[in-house]
Amino acid sequence: MSIAEAENRILAEVYQKFPIVAVRGKGVLVWDSKGREYIDCMSGYGVAIVGHCHPKVVEAVKNQCEKLMVCHCSLYNDVRVEFLETLVKYTPKGLDKVFLSNSGAESIECAVKLAAKYTGRREFIAFTGSYHGKTLGALSLTWSLKYRKPFEHLLYPHVKFARYNDVEDFESKITDNTAAVIVEPVQGESGIHISSYEFIKCLRELTYRYGALLIVDEVQAGLGRTGRLWSHQHFNIDPDIMCIAKGIGGGIPLGVTVARSEIMNVLRIGEHSSTFSGNPVACAAAKAVLNVIVEENLAGNAERVGGKLRDMLQKVKSETPLIREVRGLGLMIGIEMKVNIYNILLETIRRGVIPLYSGINTIRLLPPLVINDDQVGRVAGVLGEVMKAYTVK
Ligand SMILES: *Cc1c(COP(=O)(O)O)cnc(C)c1O
């Protein structure tokens, strides 16, 4: 039996699978079981943000594994403090109290509980196209009916969806009962959509006016991906709560909720917790990841190389009628197609580049932020070839 067959037989079949058995990774590259090399623009949905097996992250994890792998937050821990102090050095001013969990969805669950308890209110506003995860609380804030519909009867009923980037619709939905508004400054799952400056400014102004909290979901767009350490920094606002996950653990599961201390401090002992929270291996990895992002100026690289890649993709667009739009910020890039993209994705993989879906008709690229000029040239070259071959057919 092949590895693919064996996996499909036992693992829940809830993932759209691509025909690669990945066995090894280094930087921007991964290799399959037959030794074929790929440029990884999926990077585990943006998780390999500093590249696969970055030596500093590997070293931090190895060292910690030999020292201590288990330490519940009921006990203090040296590496946990080192990570927390590193983290709050880089979080926006005022966001300096942290809860640690194990995934993006969990970082959202914590934010929801914080907002509800802090404000004493129960209504939430999320946006069309939003994605915040698939646990019940996070799923309640997620737009896609495909994910929500089968579980509608379990979901939290006090969520209003306002139209994304529509100031008037938002104004009509916020009230004195709104606990919090949650937004991805750049939407990832629904096709890479960038918030307008006016829209994010309006969210901040009206949440202040109504006494509601503003939660920014930086799970996908954070950590330098868009060319700034935090994507909301493009909009010059101070959020009340920020959620981080995906790349922060360098591949070790880790979710982070950061809030103003007066908000985080409403939680009393036992009102929120998680067994794995503050795991020393995850903390060692995350400290190394943050240091690599800053020391190697990966946000700067994302801005520069990402801009270059988008320029090359615009050129591909001008040469084929298949592309509707190329958009993105930094190395968070969407190529919206006029045709079904499944076969295009398969052909791109066959030619050595692993892309990602976003929405139904958008090819998403989330390469590690260490990707260089040559490599983005190869990515654009392969996509250009695939589109041209597809057009001729
Ligand atoms: C991936 C993602 C989540 C959910 O993270 P999980 O680790 O899959 O639970 C939440 N918000 C955004 C913006 C995401 O991209």
Side-chain angles (χ1 to χ4, degrees):
M1 201 187 306
S2 73
I3 289 181
E5 283 165 345
E7 187 165 308
N8 283 336
R9 195 164 62 89
I10 303 175
L11 186 67
E13 294 176 73
V14 293
Y15 297 94
Q16 168 78 58
K17 294 281 199 180
F18 292 107
I20 296 180
V21 179
V23 294
R24 195 159 64 85
K26 186 76 201 155
V28 177
L29 305 175
V30 295
W31 288 269
D32 69 13
S33 51
K34 298 185 194 108
R36 276 212 63 193
E37 180 184 295
Y38 300 86
I39 295 186
D40 189 6
C41 293
M42 174 189 273
S43 45
Y45 276 69
V47 169
I49 203 152
V50 299
H52 289 278
C53 301
H54 191 290
K56 292 209 170 131
V57 179
V58 170
E59 187 189 57
V61 169
K62 269 190 181 164
N63 287 344
Q64 191 56 42
C65 283
E66 285 172 357
K67 226 171 120 195
L68 184 69
M69 292 174 71
V70 176
C71 181
H72 193 270
C73 278
S74 308
L75 304 182
Y76 297 96
N77 177 257
D78 54 349
V79 69
R80 186 188 299 139
V81 174
E82 289 170 20
F83 163 54
L84 291 169
E85 287 181 339
T86 307
L87 175 68
V88 297
K89 231 174 30 195
Y90 300 126
T91 52
K93 194 165 52 71
L95 295 199
D96 48 16
K97 204 91 193 242
V98 176
F99 179 79
L100 299 173
S101 55
N102 316 289
S103 69
E106 282 176 85
S107 74
I108 302 290
E109 298 290 333
C110 175
V112 167
K113 285 170 77 172
L114 278 175
K117 188 162 185 218
Y118 181 76
T119 62
R121 303 174 181 179
R122 65 178 185 186
E123 279 186 16
F124 286 80
I125 298 178
F127 296 98
T128 56
S130 63
Y131 185 84
H132 301 294
K134 288 177 184 161
T135 56
L136 293 178
L139 184 59
S140 303
L141 300 166
T142 289
W143 167 249
S144 171
L145 264 190
K146 184 175 151 208
Y147 304 146
R148 252 183 341 161
K149 196 95 174 63
F151 313 102
E152 196 78 7
H153 53 302
L154 295 178
L155 297 184
Y156 185 67
H158 308 290
V159 177
K160 291 188 212 164
F161 288 95
R163 274 198 301 279
Y164 182 61
N165 269 343
D166 183 333
V167 167
E168 273 173 35
D169 195 43
F170 175 66
E171 281 175 347
S172 75
K173 296 214 157 88
I174 189 167
T175 72
D176 291 331
N177 298 319
T178 307
V181 175
I182 181 163
V183 69
E184 298 157 78
V186 182
Q187 289 187 339
E189 293 305 307
S190 63
I192 312 294
H193 295 285
I194 306 170
S195 300
S196 74
Y197 193 80
E198 180 200 18
F199 177 65
I200 297 284
K201 281 287 185 200
C202 169
L203 302 189
R204 184 63 283 189
E205 262 165 44
L206 290 193
T207 44
Y208 277 145
R209 192 182 309 160
Y210 283 88
L213 299 183
L214 180 60
I215 303 167
V216 290
D217 181 343
E218 295 274 3
V219 169
Q220 188 165 149
L223 296 170
R225 173 145 312 272
T226 67
R228 302 282 172 87
L229 190 54
W230 311 113
S231 65
H232 71 266
Q233 290 170 330
H234 290 282
F235 305 93
N236 228 342
I237 52 136
D238 297 315
D240 300 301
I241 303 177
M242 174 165 85
C243 299
I244 316 166
K246 290 208 163 84
I248 187 139
I252 309 284
L254 177 60
V256 179
T257 310
V258 196
R260 288 193 280 116
S261 55
E262 75 200 74
I263 297 172
M264 192 61 82
N265 290 343
V266 299
L267 293 177
R268 304 262 69 90
I269 289 173
E271 287 180 351
H272 198 58
S273 72
S274 169
T275 302
F276 292 128
S277 167
N279 170 272
V281 179
C283 288
K287 178 189 152 202
V289 166
L290 285 174
N291 284 333
V292 167
I293 289 173
V294 174
E295 283 161 17
E296 299 187 12
N297 185 21
L298 294 187
N301 194 61
E303 179 165 36
R304 189 182 66 78
V305 181
K308 202 164 168 181
L309 177 53
R310 286 200 308 282
D311 286 348
M312 289 187 279
L313 293 171
Q314 294 293 2
K315 184 154 176 292
V316 173
K317 174 174 181 276
S318 71
E319 292 160 1
T320 158
L322 298 178
I323 299 178
R324 180 165 292 129
E325 191 178 37
V326 174
R327 51 180 179 258
L329 262 185
L331 282 167
M332 188 167 180
I333 297 174
I335 310 164
E336 187 176 330
M337 305 293 296
K338 295 174 187 165
V339 293
N340 186 306
I341 62 174
Y342 186 69
N343 288 328
I344 294 178
L345 293 184
L346 284 183
E347 188 53 35
T348 305
I349 289 171
R350 242 173 262 133
R351 293 176 195 232
V353 172
I354 310 177
L356 195 54
Y357 261 113
S358 178
I360 39 171
N361 59 353
T362 301
I363 299 170
R364 173 172 32 167
L365 304 175
L366 297 176
L369 306 189
V370 294
I371 195 166
N372 65 29
D373 295 82
D374 282 356
Q375 289 162 330
V376 292
R378 256 167 78 196
V379 170
V382 163
L383 283 166
E385 285 167 23
V386 172
M387 307 261 176
K388 265 170 231 159
Y390 193 94
T391 315
V392 172
K393 254 191 287 179

